[in-house]
Amino acid sequence: MIHFLHTADWQIGARFGQFGAEEAALLGEARFEAVERIAALAAQRQVQAVLVAGDVFDQQTVSDRVIRRLFGALAGFSGPWIMIPGNHDAALAESVWTRAAALGCIPPNVQVCLRPTVIELGEGAVLAAPLTQRHTLDDVTAVFDDTATPAGMIRIGLSHGCVAERLPEGIDATNPIAADRCARASLDYLALGDWHGLFRVDERTWYSGTPETDRFTNNESGMLLEVRIAAPGSTPDVTPHRISRYRWQRWEETLSVPSDVERLVARLQPLGQGDVLMLRVEGGIDLGAWRSLERAIDETAARVRALRHDLGGLRFLPTDADLAALGARGGYLANAVARLRAEQEAGDPQERAAATEALLLLARFQQELEGRQ
C-alpha cells in the first residue's frame, strides 16, 4: 500500500497585479501559509510523501528571499517531498531551481526532479516527467510507457500539462498529455498539475488544482488530494481536502429598482476577511439607491480581504425629484443636467457611461452644498 498527498500549482511569488499593493501582499502571503497547512496535514495524516506536480513558483525571477521562505515552509513535514518544475518554473539551464540549489536552501528530504526520474517510495515508484521548457508540443509523459520499475511496484506518474480534449474548451493546448496515459504506461495513478481546479480525468488521472484559490473561476480550486493505493492494479482511493484560506467569488448583478439594491446589500453583509470578491453590476437605479450601493461597497471593501467592482454597466436613472434637486439652481446647471440626461438615454456606451458619471458628480456636489448650508 502507498499513501501520499498530491498537490500542485502553488504559484509562489504570484503578484496579483489586479489588486492594490496591500491586498496583493496579503494574497501572496496566503500562498506560503497554504504550503505550511499542506505540511501540517501531511504530518497529521502520516503520509509517505507529498507529490508536487509543478508550478511551485509563479515565475523564474522570484527573489532569493521568496525561494528561502518557500523551502522553510516545508518544515512541518519531515517526510519526502517530490517536486517537478511546471511551465511557470520550467527546468531551464538557468532557472529558479538552479538558483535554489546555489543558495543551498533545498532540504535533504526534498527531491526536485529536473529530468525524467524514477523514485522508489516504499511499495511504489514515482515516475516524474518535468517540463524542461515553458511550452512544448511533445507529450513529456510518453517516457512513462518505456520506463521500467521493479516487479510488484505501484506505479505513480507525476507531470504537468494539459490532458487532450478533457479540460474545458479554450485551455492552452501546449504541454499536451494523452488522456489514456495511465493505460499506455500501466500507471496506477497519474498526479497532474496545470489546471488550477480539482478535476478528475478518470479514476486514475487527477488534477489537484491550486491549494490557495487565485482566480475568479468556479473550478473547485483551493484543494489537495490524499491518495491511497492498496496494490498494483487497485483503484486509487482519492480524498479531497480543502486547504484554501480565501474564497474567491464573482457576482454578476442586474439592478432595476431599490429593492434589488436592498437584496444585494443584504447579500454583501455576511462577507468577511476570508472573501475575495469581483462584483459587476448593470441596470439602472435612482440616486438614493446608488448612494446605498456605494455605501455598501465601501463598507464591504473594509471587511473583506479584497474587492474589485465594476459599475460600468450601471446607469444612473434619476427620479423627477432627483432631477429637480440637481437643476434646482436653474440656468446653466439645469441645462447641463438636461443635456447629460439626454446623452445617457441616446448616446453610445462610452457617452452613456460618461454622462452617468457626470450626473453622479453633480449629485455629490449638490449633496456637499446642502451639507454646508
Side-chain angles (χ1 to χ4, degrees), residues 180-193:
D180 61 348
R181 180 59 63 203
C182 280
R184 291 191 196 183
S186 299
L187 298 177
D188 295 291
Y189 185 85
L190 179 53
L192 294 176

Side-chain angles (χ1 to χ4, degrees), residues 64 135 154 246:
D64 290 355
H135 297 302
I154 298 168
Y246 296 123

